[in-house]
């Protein structure tokens, strides 16, 4: 169940030229699974900004976001100790079936952050995942050290080497996959992978809680709203 609360900024720093790390303190009980997201109200703007959760604890949330427009530009300029109105624990997140023993985690660009919390969740179960991260170039790389510190098997794909190319070349052993990133990447992964998997979709959202129907995806079971029925959907149900 999502919750609306006021959070305080503990940290808001640049990781790359356009990627920032935002750490907030406040109530986090509404967060129940990796892959969920928050929706932040920014002064002067009508629509909230959805941002996937990178990590969380009992009283902090770590968010990694890319500055792409007016809203995120304003967010990047906000100082430590500033307050934010946040909807917490939105979306359904990833599930970790007991039968999954060799997970493959794939993140592209702004889809990298949720892979961090997901990797931690598998490690907590005693399972070491293989993680493939895609970036535009070397200057665009972020959170590489943090993933390596977890002890996961890490593969990077840069520029013209797509994550699907890296998987094809390295042939990691996996029995299930998880992904988050741009839709062309998700489609390519669905076509290339031989196992089932869960895909998290990046969509522009109006409300964030299913009222406006502005972020729908076609599935075998009808249109699903990314903000409430997703952002995570199972590979087999998606109609591309």
């Amino acid at each position: 169940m999502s919750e609306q609360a006021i959070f305080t900024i503990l940290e808001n720093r640049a990781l790359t030229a356009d990627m920032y790390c935002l750490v907030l303190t406040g109530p986090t009980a509404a967060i129940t699974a990796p892959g969920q997201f928050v929706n932040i109200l920014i002064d002067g703007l009508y629509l909230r900004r959805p941002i996937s959760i990178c990590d969380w604890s009992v009283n902090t949330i770590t968010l990694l976001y890319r500055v792409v427009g007016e809203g995120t530009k304003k967010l990047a300029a906000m100082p430590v100790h500033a307050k934010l109105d946040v909807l917490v624990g939105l979306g359904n997140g990833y599930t970790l079936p007991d039968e999954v023993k060799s997970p493959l985690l794939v993140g592209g660009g702004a889809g990298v952050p949720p892979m961090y919390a997901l990797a931690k969740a598998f490690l907590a179960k005693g399972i070491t995942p293989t993680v493939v991260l895609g970036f535009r170039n070397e200057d665009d790389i972020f959170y590489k050290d943090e993933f390596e510190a977890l002890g996961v098997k890490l593969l990077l794909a840069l520029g013209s080497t797509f994550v699907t190319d890296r998987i094809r070349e390295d042939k990691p052993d996996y029995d299930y996959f998880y992904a988050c990133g741009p839709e062309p990447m998700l489609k390519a992964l669905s076509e290339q992978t031989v196992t089932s998997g869960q895909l998290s979709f990046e969509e522009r959202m109006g409300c964030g809680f299913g009222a406006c129907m502005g972020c729908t995806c076609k599935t075998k079971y009808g249109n699903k709203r990314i903000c409430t029925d997703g952002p995570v959907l199972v590979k087999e149900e998606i109609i591309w």
Side-chain angles (χ1 to χ4, degrees):
M1 195 67 166
S2 63
E3 176 184 0
Q4 183 176 1
I6 301 299
F7 280 72
T8 302
I9 296 177
L10 295 181
E11 181 180 323
N12 193 17
R13 62 184 175 90
L15 299 176
T16 67
D18 60 359
M19 185 66 65
Y20 279 70
C21 175
L22 176 67
V23 181
L24 306 175
T25 181
T28 64
I31 305 171
T32 58
Q36 290 183 298
F37 65 97
V38 302
N39 225 0
I40 299 176
L41 183 64
I42 298 173
D43 288 345
L45 300 178
Y46 177 68
L47 296 178
R48 291 175 180 264
R49 265 48 184 182
I51 301 176
S52 60
I53 296 169
C54 175
D55 198 12
W56 78 95
S57 68
V58 292
N59 58 6
T60 65
I61 301 175
T62 299
L63 309 171
L64 308 185
Y65 65 97
R66 174 161 280 143
V67 177
V68 294
E70 183 183 3
T72 45
K73 186 176 180 180
K74 285 189 172 184
L75 185 60
M78 295 191 70
V80 170
H81 304 311
K83 306 292 184 181
L84 286 171
D85 183 314
V86 185
L87 290 173
V88 188
L90 298 172
N92 60 1
Y94 295 106
T95 60
L96 284 67
D98 289 338
E99 61 269 24
V100 175
K101 304 300 182 185
S102 300
L104 175 68
L105 281 51
V106 186
V112 167
M115 296 299 108
Y116 185 77
L118 183 59
K120 289 182 67 175
F122 272 112
L123 290 167
K125 294 181 64 174
I127 296 171
T128 301
T130 298
V131 180
V132 183
L133 304 179
F135 300 99
R136 294 173 295 193
N137 51 56
E138 287 191 4
D139 292 335
D140 193 45
I141 295 173
F142 61 90
Y143 245 58
K144 175 177 177 287
D145 293 345
E146 286 80 358
F147 275 98
E148 288 180 337
L150 292 179
V152 300
K153 305 167 189 174
L154 184 62
L155 301 173
L156 298 183
L158 300 179
S160 60
T161 303
F162 298 108
V163 292
T164 47
D165 296 331
R166 193 66 199 270
I167 293 168
R168 191 181 300 111
E169 292 166 1
D170 285 76
K171 298 180 175 57
D173 181 35
Y174 66 97
D175 56 13
Y176 199 84
F177 78 95
Y178 297 82
C180 183
E183 192 166 309
M185 185 196 90
L186 300 182
K187 184 176 186 293
L189 278 170
S190 290
E191 294 170 348
Q192 177 177 316
T193 50
V194 295
T195 71
S196 182
Q198 298 173 31
L199 301 95
S200 179
F201 284 78
E202 300 173 347
E203 288 285 344
R204 289 186 177 275
M205 298 177 186
C207 65
F209 47 82
C212 72
M213 301 296 291
C215 59
T216 57
C217 174
K218 290 184 178 180
T219 77
K220 294 178 181 178
Y221 312 107
N223 289 337
K224 287 193 172 184
R225 296 163 295 182
I226 295 303
C227 62
T228 53
D229 303 316
V232 177
L233 301 175
V234 176
K235 169 184 168 178
E236 288 77 15
E237 69 179 303
I238 300 164
I239 297 176
W240 297 102

